[in-house]
């Protein structure tokens, strides 16, 4: 049964080529929004909190601050609406899932940048 699921995923879910990123990186996701007959491109820029799943069903969570309110969004990696992903900064973190980042404010919420 597991082989059948893997076969269907490989055959029917298209593979997108995006740059590699990890938790702690600041990325910008450009995605398409359809409003009635019109469609437009919107972007979401924030810090990657986690990468979850494997293969074609992989998702990632991004957190940004909108004023004083934190906004998180979960994107499937193979979402057809995603047009491109840009990696703005590479961050140095010691964990794969940085949920502790939600509770930090001010200078403590900074992530050191990886050079090179």
């Amino acid at each position: 049964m597991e082989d059948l699921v893997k076969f269907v995923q490989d055959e029917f879910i298209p593979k997108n080529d995006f740059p590699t990123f990890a938790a702690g990186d600041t990325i910008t996701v450009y995605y398409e929004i359809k409003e009635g007959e019109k469609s437009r491109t919107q972007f979401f820029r924030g810090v990657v909190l986690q990468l979850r799943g494997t293969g074609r069903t992989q998702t990632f969570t991004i957190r940004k601050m909108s004023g004083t309110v934190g906004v998180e969004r979960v994107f499937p990696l193979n979402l057809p609406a995603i047009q491109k992903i840009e990696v703005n900064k590479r961050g140095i973190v010691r964990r794969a899932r940085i949920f502790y980042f939600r509770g930090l404010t001010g200078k403590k919420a900074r992530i050191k940048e990886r050079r090179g």
Side-chain angles (χ1 to χ4, degrees):
M1 185 67 179
E2 207 170 287
D3 295 332
L4 180 63
V5 171
K6 184 167 174 39
F7 172 75
V8 170
Q9 286 179 353
D10 290 341
E11 287 294 319
F12 297 110
I13 299 176
K15 177 74 173 139
N16 294 334
D17 289 332
F18 294 126
T20 58
F21 55 90
D25 294 350
T26 302
I27 65 172
T28 305
V29 179
Y30 294 89
Y31 58 99
E32 186 177 12
I33 292 181
K34 294 182 181 174
E35 296 170 336
E37 298 294 321
K38 297 179 183 178
S39 66
R40 63 185 175 89
T41 302
Q42 188 171 344
F43 68 91
F44 194 90
R45 176 179 294 145
V47 177
V48 178
L49 291 185
Q50 72 170 341
L51 288 165
R52 178 180 216 138
T54 59
R56 308 291 171 110
T57 59
Q58 190 172 17
T59 62
F60 58 97
T61 305
I62 301 178
R63 179 180 176 85
K64 75 171 184 176
M65 292 302 291
S66 180
T68 59
V69 179
V71 179
E72 290 184 14
R73 179 142 186 192
V74 178
F75 288 98
L77 196 58
N78 283 311
L79 184 69
I82 294 179
Q83 295 176 346
K84 69 177 177 176
I85 297 176
E86 289 180 352
V87 178
N88 303 108
K89 285 192 230 175
R90 302 250 182 215
I92 299 174
V93 292
R94 294 185 178 190
R95 300 185 180 274
R97 297 182 176 172
I98 55 171
F99 297 133
Y100 66 88
F101 193 68
R102 293 173 178 157
L104 302 180
T105 57
K107 288 186 178 180
K108 292 181 180 180
R110 292 184 186 169
I111 295 178
K112 290 185 181 178
E113 189 173 352
R114 191 179 339 152
R115 300 287 179 191

